[in-house]
Amino acid sequence: MGDRWYSEAVVYCLDIDTYADSDGDGVGDIRGLIGRLDYLARLGVTCLWLHPIHPSPNRDDGYDATDFYNVDPRFGTLGDFAELLHQAQNRGIRVIIDLVVNHTSDEHPWFQSARSSPDSPYRDWFVWSDNEPDDRYQGMVFPGEQRETWSYDRTAKAWFYHRFYKFQPDLNFANPQVRAEVKKIMSFWLQLGVSGFRMDAVPFIIELTEPGNPNSPKDFEFLTEMRQHVQWRRGDAVLLAEANVEPDQLPTFFGDASGSGNRIHMLFDFMLNGRLMLALAREDPEPLIDALHDTPKLPVGGQWATFLRNHDEIDLSRLTTEQRNQVYAQFGPDENMRIYDRGIRRRLAPMLGNDRRRIELAYALQFSMRGTPVLRYGEEIGMGEDLSLPGREAIRTPMQWSYQPNSGFSTADPEKLVRPVIDKGDFGYQNVNVTAQRGEPKSLLGWFERMIRTLREAPEIGSGSTTHIDVAVPPGVLAHRADGPTGTMVFVHNLGTDDVEVDLSSLEPEADLPIDVLADRGYGELGKLGAVKVSGHGYRWIRLCRDRGF
Ligand code: GLC
């Protein structure tokens, strides 16, 4: 393992409320999750990212907190949380939590106090304007669900700013007290034993909002400050940020102009996400080749977090209109599958027609790309979505554990469940569940276990450098390599439907008894690299050489 654990981690994200319910009240809880840690350890996960755990009225699935120093009582107690950290650590699993401090819930006592009077000590913790700002209808994150970014509050007799929903007033990061409080919140959870934070909405946290100015200045120095603070409190803590911005802005989030990585350790690669979807839709690797060529160079210690699906829509806003329409045509043909004029609210398996070969190909591609892979719960068994649920809830249904009622998620009456279990069709829990797959090596779950184990034997992917192998290949094929001090891995993925042969003989001089370490089927002895066979929608991960001293 390299110096930085996060470079070689496998991150798994989940919502406690839809994972496992231990007390039968219909809501998943911390004790339920503790009971599933062995499952996660067997899968090979090394880090859990928990979606918001704080008390919340849950109008945005917990991304609207009312107390940053506690856990939602529906999930358990702080004691249960400390126990979770201990039990996870026993299994070599770290835990990071969502830090959602761009805004609070409007029910948070800070906002309640702030709105009550201009003299409230919390008044200046939020962003106010006495007059209606000119940019009232600009900068909405949830078009269709959100009307404005400035709303009038009758109690406060003033306008308040909310980048997201109206019930999520933005905290005022120009106020030193707010900055100090956020650091205190981070310290609190680090002290309890979390290994870091998935930082929500970072570009908006550093925004110094000026009424009427839709392009308010950004204070990147605050990221440097937060990093300093976190690192002093816990040396190996990591910051993983959501910053879905233009590619040329990304380096500034990793570090300042000196070139040192003194800000965020890891950023989600939203650009790659869109390109992966485009490449899969077109069955053409071109967008991925572009990604390998033009990804900004990162400072030492900077790392991408790759993903295919997360808890939000697939955001295609960084693709051109034509590209976006190609992805829609393949993966979101119905209006009901799309959201916010920019994305798709579906899980991967149904988008790929539940075609096992294409699902494996997609995940083999993601996990072989530079960066730390993030996997969303349920994807490892090929769960589907429920498009009858509103908005992003479609992809937030309970984990499907078994054939038991409610998929083994909960013993509560179905109408008491936090969200309905998918119980119909190909993706119903009767067809897709952990019990059915865990004893079956050929299952998707069995494949994920094997693939993740293979990844852990190939630290070059996380810690090394990944490049496109620029040789003539048949259409549909991507050849890339990962090089690190531990050796070299070569990957051949065939996005197309035809069986092909790829000439990689130019790698022969570097090869040292190359072998397949993961492939969609048994291809027999690899032999010479001049004619590497790959089936349609197939893939081969080849260990080219290992460092001899290793
Ligand atoms: C982030 C989260 C999203 C949430 C929003 C507001 O984008 O990923 O789920 O709704 O922030 O907090």
Side-chain angles (χ1 to χ4, degrees):
M1 163 91 51
D3 280 347
R4 298 180 172 85
W5 65 268
Y6 57 87
S7 300
E8 288 160 33
V10 175
V11 181
Y12 184 95
C13 63
L14 65 93
D15 247 314
I16 290 180
D17 65 358
T18 46
Y19 205 60
D21 171 18
S22 72
D23 58 6
D25 67 352
V27 183
D29 47 49
I30 298 171
R31 290 168 58 94
L33 172 56
I34 292 174
R36 300 299 178 171
L37 287 174
D38 289 322
Y39 165 79
L40 293 165
R42 169 172 156 168
L43 180 58
V45 167
T46 62
C47 178
L48 292 182
W49 151 29
L50 303 180
H51 294 305
I53 58 172
H54 308 307
S56 161
N58 267 306
R59 296 176 68 190
D60 183 14
D61 213 12
Y63 284 86
D64 46 340
T66 50
D67 179 1
F68 292 108
Y69 294 100
N70 219 328
V71 294
D72 189 327
R74 298 180 316 149
F75 299 166
T77 64
L78 267 182
D80 293 329
F81 188 74
E83 185 62 19
L84 167 69
L85 294 177
H86 173 74
Q87 294 295 345
Q89 189 181 25
N90 277 350
R91 292 162 177 82
I93 299 177
R94 294 170 182 265
V95 177
I96 65 176
I97 59 169
D98 237 303
L99 181 77
V100 189
V101 290
N102 173 66
H103 45 262
T104 67
S105 157
D106 60 358
E107 293 176 31
H108 195 295
W110 298 341
F111 188 69
Q112 289 298 324
S113 167
R115 77 183 344 171
S116 70
S117 152
D119 302 325
S120 155
Y122 292 102
R123 183 73 165 198
D124 196 32
W125 283 42
F126 295 87
V127 184
W128 301 100
S129 171
D130 289 336
N131 306 310
E132 178 182 339
D134 290 344
D135 59 343
R136 173 176 172 188
Y137 296 111
Q138 291 181 44
M140 275 86 72
V141 175
F142 300 128
E145 292 182 8
Q146 185 189 358
R147 234 171 51 89
E148 55 193 9
T149 49
W150 289 93
S151 293
Y152 186 71
D153 186 69
R154 257 182 245 153
T155 316
K157 298 192 182 53
W159 296 79
F160 69 96
Y161 183 67
H162 53 93
R163 173 61 81 165
F164 296 91
Y165 294 111
K166 184 176 170 183
F167 54 81
Q168 293 168 320
D170 273 38
L171 281 164
N172 175 14
F173 277 85
N175 181 345
Q177 283 177 310
V178 169
R179 292 175 177 230
E181 188 72 28
V182 167
K183 289 184 199 157
K184 198 158 91 181
I185 293 165
M186 294 173 116
S187 306
F188 175 80
W189 294 101
L190 291 172
Q191 201 68 30
L192 260 183
V194 305
S195 291
F197 304 95
R198 179 268 187 188
M199 295 180 57
D200 193 59
V202 171
F204 305 132
I205 289 179
I206 58 176
E207 200 170 55
L208 303 174
T209 312
E210 297 165 352
N213 181 0
N215 296 309
S216 297
K218 289 194 169 53
D219 181 11
F220 282 93
E221 275 313 299
F222 183 52
L223 298 181
T224 323
E225 238 178 82
M226 267 201 286
R227 167 70 177 265
Q228 277 282 323
H229 180 79
V230 163
Q231 223 80 90
W232 276 105
R233 292 297 168 107
R234 181 170 171 165
D236 64 349
V238 74
L239 300 175
L240 162 59
E242 180 201 35
N244 190 354
V245 297
E246 291 294 335
D248 62 340
Q249 291 177 29
L250 289 166
T252 336
F253 286 84
F254 284 106
D256 62 24
S258 73
S260 80
N262 58 354
R263 290 178 181 155
I264 304 290
H265 306 79
M266 277 205 282
L267 290 180
F268 287 105
D269 196 343
F270 281 95
M271 201 60 204
L272 178 68
N273 182 245
R275 284 166 153 177
L276 269 165
M277 296 315 296
L278 182 62
L280 292 168
R282 287 180 175 169
E283 306 205 318
D284 175 357
E286 210 53 42
L288 299 175
I289 297 173
D290 290 346
L292 289 172
H293 284 295
D294 65 18
T295 304
K297 197 170 150 15
L298 303 188
V300 176
Q303 176 82 343
W304 297 108
T306 66
F307 61 101
L308 274 165
R309 289 305 296 112
N310 62 16
H311 63 297
D312 290 328
E313 78 285 1
I314 299 176
D315 186 341
L316 303 170
S317 56
R318 302 213 179 273
L319 300 182
T320 64
T321 308
E322 191 201 342
Q323 293 171 336
R324 192 163 41 249
N325 286 338
Q326 285 172 337
V327 179
Y328 279 154
Q330 290 300 316
F331 300 142
D334 301 344
E335 191 54 47
N336 186 32
M337 298 168 171
R338 305 179 196 165
I339 190 167
Y340 308 140
D341 295 330
R342 63 167 180 249
I344 299 179
R345 54 180 201 124
R346 301 187 73 192
R347 280 196 179 253
L348 195 78
M351 282 193 291
L352 298 180
N354 211 8
D355 178 338
R356 173 65 185 274
R357 294 187 61 75
R358 292 172 77 201
I359 298 170
E360 272 185 37
L361 172 73
Y363 276 107
L365 264 173
Q366 182 213 330
F367 277 61
S368 67
M369 284 285 149
R370 74 279 178 292
T372 297
V374 180
L375 180 66
R376 177 156 161 74
Y377 81 91
E379 288 291 301
E380 74 275 26
I381 52 170
M383 272 173 58
E385 70 270 342
D386 179 350
L387 291 169
S388 71
L389 296 176
R392 293 168 292 166
E393 284 185 30
I395 47 166
R396 298 176 178 180
T397 58
M399 179 66 178
Q400 296 175 192
W401 292 106
S402 70
Y403 296 103
Q404 287 169 312
N406 300 332
S407 74
F409 157 69
S410 168
T411 54
D413 288 341
E415 63 276 8
K416 285 210 179 126
L417 296 188
V418 60
R419 217 159 279 139
V421 165
I422 298 182
D423 63 358
K424 282 190 253 338
D426 291 349
F427 297 96
Y429 70 87
Q430 300 86 344
N431 292 315
V432 177
N433 69 59
V434 171
T435 302
Q437 297 190 24
R438 63 181 306 145
E440 176 47 72
K442 290 202 164 72
S443 65
L444 185 61
L445 178 61
W447 178 81
F448 262 102
E449 289 173 0
R450 243 180 3 264
M451 188 268 283
I452 292 175
R453 239 180 284 142
T454 309
L455 182 83
R456 307 227 10 226
E457 276 187 318
E460 300 86 359
I461 301 175
S463 294
S465 62
T466 308
T467 44
H468 170 226
I469 302 174
D470 200 1
V471 294
V473 292
V477 171
L478 173 69
H480 67 288
R481 61 187 285 165
D483 295 275
T486 44
T488 297
M489 291 281 296
V490 166
F491 310 96
V492 190
H493 291 87
N494 182 3
L495 285 81
T497 43
D498 295 341
D499 296 354
V500 295
E501 258 185 27
V502 185
D503 179 359
L504 294 177
S505 52
S506 61
L507 302 177
E508 209 71 71
E510 299 174 67
D512 173 18
L513 288 183
I515 51 157
D516 274 328
V517 289
L518 187 79
D520 61 294
R521 64 175 179 86
Y523 283 99
E525 192 101 358
L526 185 60
K528 291 280 171 214
L529 293 172
V532 178
K533 291 188 171 32
V534 195
S535 308
H537 292 152
Y539 56 89
R540 295 175 80 162
W541 288 15
I542 298 166
R543 170 148 302 280
L544 194 69
C545 59
R546 264 203 187 279
D547 179 65
R548 286 178 204 283
F550 199 63

